[in-house]
Amino acid sequence: MTRIIDGKAVAEDVAATVKRETAALAMRDGMAPGLAVILVGEDPASQVYVASKSRKAKECGFHSVQHTLPADTPQADLVALVERLNADPAIHGILVQLPLPAHIDALAVIETISPDKDVDGLTYVNVGRLGAGAPQKAFVPCTPAGSMLLIERVRGRDLSGLNAVVVGRSNLVGKPVAQLLLAADATVTIAHSRTKDLPALCRTADILVAAVGRPEMIRGDWVKEGATVIDVGINRIPAPEKGEGQGGKKTRLVGDVAFAEASARAGAITPVPGGVGPMTIAMLMANTLVSACRAAGVEPPRF
Ligand code: GUN
């Protein structure tokens, strides 16, 4: 029987721990974790993501602030805002939603975030800590951290002797997922658009992570019998079978993996939606709580 990995349930588990520890922090230390989310411009997908991050932060009992800036905000103004938040003791986590408008150098902005408040794990300091095999000291990017938690639920924390293939090499997902798998002692291969015979490589994977952003690219016969398949893709495609909706054609969400085919062979697989997606926000809350614990000098919980 193929196990469908319930990301929503695991995310709720993580959120429950965050809420409990946040309440303890308030009782014991009289403080609340503070999360600042910055959105520049009006990208509709980013608006949805940012609103749900702010909402979840409030649900967890955090001090939650959202800064929404116009699309033509000068880079210097954005940098000045980040610097103000760096200096604000009520803020423990700063997230600048990506992508930023084209006139802004995203890397330069990210580098102004204090590594101690970089709950997105994107600064060079946190990338370096993870790359040096010290994920417990780093802030790990939320989607990779969430993917790894799902893998642990199926395979445990020790991945010795297992082959992992990560399809995709982005800074946000592919590279950090590969580092986490390596830190758990898996044998890791990173595949990308220039990889030769990708289907054959995928068939060697005991753990297959898809993070390419191409709808249903990974077919069922690329999946090894019994593999753990983690689908990070969230792609919106036309759904003519649903008919016409109000204001246009209907769409549906699919991952980077052809789910029906792949689940016939996988041992465990994440659905889209309801797999990795809910984990991302949960791990942002977890990272912000950890940051607040560090600021208060108390031992953070382990997720
Ligand atoms: N845009 C899409 N995913 C993310 C993420 O994890 N962090 C940030 N900052 N922006 C994103």
Side-chain angles (χ1 to χ4, degrees):
M1 263 295 282
T2 304
R3 171 169 167 192
I4 309 297
I5 303 168
D6 186 349
K8 219 167 144 235
V10 181
E12 276 164 16
D13 242 27
V14 170
T17 303
V18 170
K19 282 177 197 167
R20 194 180 63 238
E21 295 293 323
T22 298
L25 210 53
M27 286 279 286
R28 195 181 46 224
D29 306 282
M31 69 182 281
L35 175 65
V37 179
I38 304 173
L39 172 64
V40 185
E42 289 168 6
D43 177 67
S46 291
Q47 284 175 331
V48 172
Y49 290 140
V50 163
S52 39
K53 287 169 186 176
S54 299
R55 192 176 342 108
K56 187 56 104 181
K58 286 195 189 100
E59 268 173 46
C60 288
F62 289 6
H63 166 56
S64 167
V65 289
Q66 185 179 322
H67 294 268
T68 307
L69 308 178
D72 61 355
T73 298
Q75 182 168 323
D77 291 8
L78 179 55
V79 165
L81 172 59
V82 170
E83 283 169 347
R84 258 199 337 273
L85 294 166
N86 280 343
D88 183 345
I91 296 297
H92 305 97
I94 302 169
L95 181 140
V96 178
Q97 185 67 24
L98 303 175
L100 287 168
H103 70 279
I104 294 178
D105 176 353
L107 271 179
V109 172
I110 286 164
E111 275 309 295
T112 62
I113 301 172
S114 161
D116 294 338
K117 297 191 178 187
D118 170 29
V119 285
D120 233 1
L122 297 178
T123 58
Y124 293 138
V125 168
N126 283 309
V127 172
R129 285 173 179 152
L130 177 59
Q136 293 303 320
K137 291 206 170 82
F139 285 117
V140 177
C142 305
T143 302
S147 302
M148 201 59 199
L149 220 55
L150 297 181
I151 292 168
E152 280 177 14
R153 294 281 171 122
V154 180
R155 298 280 189 167
R157 285 190 196 270
D158 179 5
L159 306 180
S160 307
L162 297 176
N163 289 335
V165 173
V166 179
V167 188
R169 55 174 157 179
S170 69
N171 289 338
L172 214 50
V173 183
K175 286 182 207 163
V177 161
Q179 293 287 7
L180 289 169
L181 289 161
L182 191 59
D185 292 326
T187 302
V188 185
T189 307
I190 304 177
H192 47 77
S193 54
R194 306 290 179 92
T195 298
K196 220 166 89 180
D197 201 353
L198 183 59
L201 179 64
C202 289
R203 279 193 284 271
T204 68
D206 302 300
I207 298 167
L208 180 61
V209 180
V212 274
R214 295 184 54 183
E216 299 178 324
M217 185 184 97
I218 300 204
R219 309 310 307 184
D221 64 353
W222 301 18
V223 174
K224 181 177 174 177
E225 212 52 68
T228 302
V229 179
I230 304 294
D231 189 351
V232 182
I234 301 179
N235 310 288
R236 197 165 276 289
I237 62 166
E241 72 280 5
K242 288 188 178 175
E244 297 271 331
Q246 278 174 335
K249 302 236 181 290
K250 291 221 172 159
T251 60
R252 66 190 172 97
L253 289 180
V254 297
D256 293 347
V257 177
F259 180 81
E261 290 173 17
S263 50
R265 291 171 61 121
I269 186 168
T270 59
V272 176
V276 174
M279 294 301 294
T280 298
I281 292 183
M283 297 317 289
L284 176 65
M285 301 305 128
N287 280 352
T288 307
L289 171 72
V290 167
S291 180
C293 288
R294 286 178 186 164
V298 302
E299 186 66 29
R302 184 162 180 196
F303 289 95

